[in-house]
């Protein structure tokens, strides 16, 4: 037993490790026939032929439908402004009152001095009589229907153009951001969209669809501590948004999230190609036609798109073959690649 534990078992363990090492060397440097797998001095030639995928120009129907993430927002209060300088002489409403459009909110009074009046009696004596000032009045009315907030007090002096009250309409809008591609697709947008509020009522149609720019300037009081101090700083950023009004009778709340679906047209029985095959997606673009030789770039006219297929209005015919993807050009001379070489093969 002592012989097996001290001599036989260690010898067997060494033999097993030797067999494993020999197998790893064979797998790493030799093939099954016992020779080297490849001559390191001979380049390996690819065994297959790679070609760019092509598509055939066909016809079909394309619907320009844009869906954006949207949020319900309360419409802002509309300010009522003084139309002349003077003193608040009368308040027609109290804060929190509900008014209709055009309802009087308050009155501004302005005293205009008058020249003294001279009265001559029968004996020729002249008496100067002071006249009371002429009082001008201006009534400020509600610009919209809603709930009133007063910004002035009785007998307060106000100037022309000063905001003296505000009326919150109590209505809501739905707004969402647009990407650059979506802005192009909505140049001829309709006046309404379909809204679906998560956890809210059934999908409904909102009206008065419009787009605008909401600017979000950078705050100089809170600079980025990790920003490059030598980099060019931009004053702010802007987000283009699309919005529409929630119709009366639909119950929503500010802050609810949902989707806005806008259908801006449909084209039937038109030439269609994938957007991946076109360089440029608005009005004009380029495609690469396939012939006997190298692909040839060709200018085309573009129409409606659904984000996956785009209508070709001119430049191509049904049945023509084009590259499915825009070809990648060679890197410009002088640009160093990951292998340390430039486009012309120099270091």
């Amino acid at each position: 037993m002592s012989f097996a534990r001290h001599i036989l078992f260690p010898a067997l363990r060494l033999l097993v490790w030797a067999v494993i090492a020999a197998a790893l060397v064979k797998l790493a440097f030799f093939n099954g026939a016992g020779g080297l797998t490849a001559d390191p001095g001979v380049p390996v030639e690819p065994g297959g032929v790679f070609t760019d995928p092509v598509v055939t120009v066909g016809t079909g129907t394309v619907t320009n439908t844009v869906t954006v993430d949207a949020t319900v927002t309360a419409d802002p209060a509309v300010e009522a402004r003084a139309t002349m300088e003077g003193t608040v002489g009368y308040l027609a409403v109290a804060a929190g009152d509900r008014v209709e459009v055009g309802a009087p909110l308050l009155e501004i009074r302005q005293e205009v001095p008058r020249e003294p009046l001279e009265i001559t009696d029968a004996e020729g004596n002249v008496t100067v009589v002071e006249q009371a000032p002429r009082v001008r009045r201006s009534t400020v009315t509600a610009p919209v229907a809603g709930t009133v907030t007063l910004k002035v007090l009785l007998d307060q002096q106000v100037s022309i153009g000063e905001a003296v009250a505000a009326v919150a309409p109590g209505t809501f809008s739905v707004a969402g951001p647009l990407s650059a591609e979506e802005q192009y697709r909505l140049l001829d947008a309709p006046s309404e969209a379909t809204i679906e509020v998560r956890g809210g009522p059934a999908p409904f149609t909102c009206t008065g669809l419009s787009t605008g720019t909401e600017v979000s300037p950078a705050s100089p009081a809170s600079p980025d501590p990790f920003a490059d101090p030598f980099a060019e700083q931009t004053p702010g950023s802007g987000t283009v948004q699309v919005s529409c009004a929630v119709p009366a009778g639909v119950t929503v709340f500010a802050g609810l999230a949902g989707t806005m679906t806008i259908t801006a047209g449909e084209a039937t029985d038109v030439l269609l190609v994938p957007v991946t095959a076109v360089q440029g997606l608005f009005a004009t673009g380029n495609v690469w036609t396939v012939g006997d030789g190298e692909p040839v770039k060709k200018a085309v006219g573009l129409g409606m798109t659904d984000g996956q297929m785009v209508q070709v209005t001119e430049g191509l015919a049904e049945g023509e073959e084009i590259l499915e993807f825009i070809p990648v050009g060679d890197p410009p001379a002088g640009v160093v690649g990951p292998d340390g070489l430039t486009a012309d093969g120099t270091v």
Side-chain angles (χ1 to χ4, degrees):
M1 186 66 182
S2 176
F3 171 79
R5 182 171 62 252
H6 294 287
I7 298 177
L8 182 60
F9 289 163
L12 290 175
R13 189 180 298 110
L14 290 176
L15 179 61
V16 170
W17 281 111
V19 171
I20 293 174
L24 291 176
V25 171
K26 179 177 178 62
L27 290 174
F29 299 103
F30 297 91
N31 58 17
L36 292 174
T37 57
D39 186 349
V42 179
V44 178
E45 296 293 336
V49 177
F50 296 94
T51 59
D52 293 323
V54 299
V55 293
T56 303
V57 179
T59 61
T61 299
V62 59
T63 303
N64 182 14
T65 299
V66 175
T67 301
V68 299
D69 293 330
T71 304
V72 178
T73 58
D75 292 332
V78 182
E79 292 182 332
R81 299 183 178 274
T83 55
M84 74 175 188
E85 183 178 358
T87 302
V88 178
Y90 173 71
L91 295 175
V93 295
D97 285 354
R98 175 79 185 181
V99 296
E100 298 299 324
V101 59
L105 301 178
L106 55 86
E107 182 183 80
I108 299 174
R109 297 176 182 176
Q110 182 186 72
E111 294 185 352
V112 181
R114 293 193 294 176
E115 294 292 332
L117 181 63
E118 294 183 354
I119 301 176
T120 305
D121 59 15
E123 298 178 357
N125 298 318
V126 178
T127 303
V128 178
V129 179
E130 295 290 338
Q131 297 191 86
R134 180 182 294 109
V135 178
R136 297 176 57 194
R137 293 177 172 82
S138 173
T139 301
V140 179
T141 59
V144 294
T147 304
V148 177
T149 300
L150 294 175
K151 297 188 175 184
V152 293
L153 301 175
L154 192 64
D155 296 328
Q156 179 176 331
Q157 185 73 23
V158 296
S159 57
I160 187 170
E162 181 180 347
V164 295
V167 181
T171 55
F172 296 89
S173 297
V174 181
L178 292 176
S179 65
E181 177 190 349
E182 290 168 340
Q183 293 175 53
Y184 279 115
R185 291 175 59 183
L186 294 179
L187 285 179
D188 298 321
S191 60
E192 59 184 32
T194 299
I195 305 298
E196 184 174 357
V197 177
R198 287 192 284 274
F204 58 89
T205 299
C206 67
T207 58
L209 189 73
S210 63
T211 59
T213 303
E214 179 182 287
V215 179
S216 302
S219 174
S222 303
D224 184 359
F226 302 103
D228 183 358
F230 302 101
E232 181 180 357
Q233 300 296 321
T234 56
S237 60
T239 300
V240 175
Q241 296 211 343
V242 58
S243 62
C244 60
V246 176
V250 176
T251 302
V252 292
F253 303 97
L256 293 180
T259 57
M260 177 187 299
T261 303
I262 309 165
T263 300
E266 182 179 83
T268 59
D269 196 24
V270 294
L271 296 180
L272 297 176
V273 297
V275 296
T276 57
V278 186
Q279 184 184 49
L281 289 177
F282 176 72
T284 60
N286 297 315
V287 298
W288 277 258
T289 58
V290 178
D292 296 334
E294 292 293 324
V296 178
K297 184 169 72 172
K298 188 175 185 180
V300 295
L302 301 176
M304 199 168 295
T305 179
D306 61 3
Q308 296 182 340
M309 304 295 289
V310 60
Q311 174 189 3
V312 177
T313 57
E314 59 179 347
L316 289 177
E318 184 178 2
E320 283 192 76
E321 290 187 336
I322 61 174
L323 293 184
E324 185 177 1
F325 301 98
I326 300 172
V328 179
D330 294 331
V335 176
V336 179
D339 56 359
L341 302 178
T342 60
D344 54 7
T346 60
V347 178

